[in-house]
Amino acid sequence: IIIFNLLPLISLDGYQFLKSILEIFLPYKLSFYLSYILSIVSFLLFITYNYLYSLNNYLIISYLIYVFIITYRNFKYTYFKFLLERFLYKLPFKKIEYTKDNINLLKKETYHYFKKPSKIISEKEKLAKMFDNKY
């Protein structure tokens, strides 16, 4: 059970571990997509293993397919929650980073400033414009 739970499949602990490691080095959105793709590859390897050794785990396979679909559909809400939490709460950030003017490059544990040709915009200002709120 421990080895199965450490597989990087969505809804298992291995996926959460992989996603957390990727979020340290990559932007939130990119880390989601990369961990999602690695989870699909792991899932295909799991199906291949079951096919070769004729393990009849059709219930597990159908559940994992369902979880893949639901997770992908709900990512826009998860990402919006990520942005809204950064806007509403004063989070303790460990690092500061200057990035291009792209909201999709936000990383966890990092406060961002966006470079424009004439000025630098803080993350709070950028999110306030996005949520149409006066800062």
Side-chain angles (χ1 to χ4, degrees):
I1 291 175
I2 293 172
I3 293 172
F4 179 77
N5 199 27
L6 287 176
L7 292 175
L9 298 171
I10 292 178
S11 79
L12 298 179
D13 291 337
Y15 173 77
Q16 296 300 328
F17 180 72
L18 173 69
K19 190 172 160 220
S20 297
I21 296 295
L22 290 176
E23 285 173 352
I24 292 172
F25 302 107
L26 300 172
Y28 185 79
K29 204 170 197 179
L30 181 62
S31 66
F32 169 78
Y33 286 124
L34 188 58
S35 61
Y36 190 81
I37 289 170
L38 290 173
S39 185
I40 289 174
V41 170
S42 299
F43 177 68
L44 293 175
L45 291 173
F46 178 71
I47 290 175
T48 305
Y49 178 79
N50 284 335
Y51 178 74
L52 291 176
Y53 296 104
S54 68
L55 299 173
N56 295 321
N57 293 325
Y58 297 115
L59 187 60
I60 294 172
I61 292 170
S62 60
Y63 171 73
L64 290 173
I65 290 172
Y66 171 76
V67 171
F68 277 113
I69 293 168
I70 295 301
T71 302
Y72 189 77
R73 281 187 186 170
N74 291 337
F75 177 69
K76 58 186 168 189
Y77 304 114
T78 306
Y79 186 62
F80 188 76
K81 178 185 168 202
F82 167 73
L83 294 176
L84 195 59
E85 284 176 349
R86 293 178 77 90
F87 175 67
L88 292 177
Y89 304 117
K90 255 190 164 171
L91 301 171
F93 296 108
K94 296 180 181 177
K95 296 186 258 178
I96 295 175
E97 188 173 304
Y98 293 88
T99 61
K100 298 178 199 173
D101 190 25
N102 187 352
I103 201 81
N104 291 330
L105 296 177
L106 293 181
K107 295 179 184 176
K108 279 190 166 184
E109 304 288 331
T110 305
Y111 190 80
H112 294 82
Y113 287 98
F114 298 100
K115 294 179 187 177
K116 284 198 166 189
S118 60
K119 62 181 178 175
I120 294 176
I121 299 174
S122 73
E123 179 180 299
K124 283 274 192 196
E125 292 174 33
K126 183 83 168 174
L127 291 173
K129 288 179 186 177
M130 183 178 158
F131 293 121
D132 289 330
N133 191 348
K134 290 187 179 184
Y135 176 62

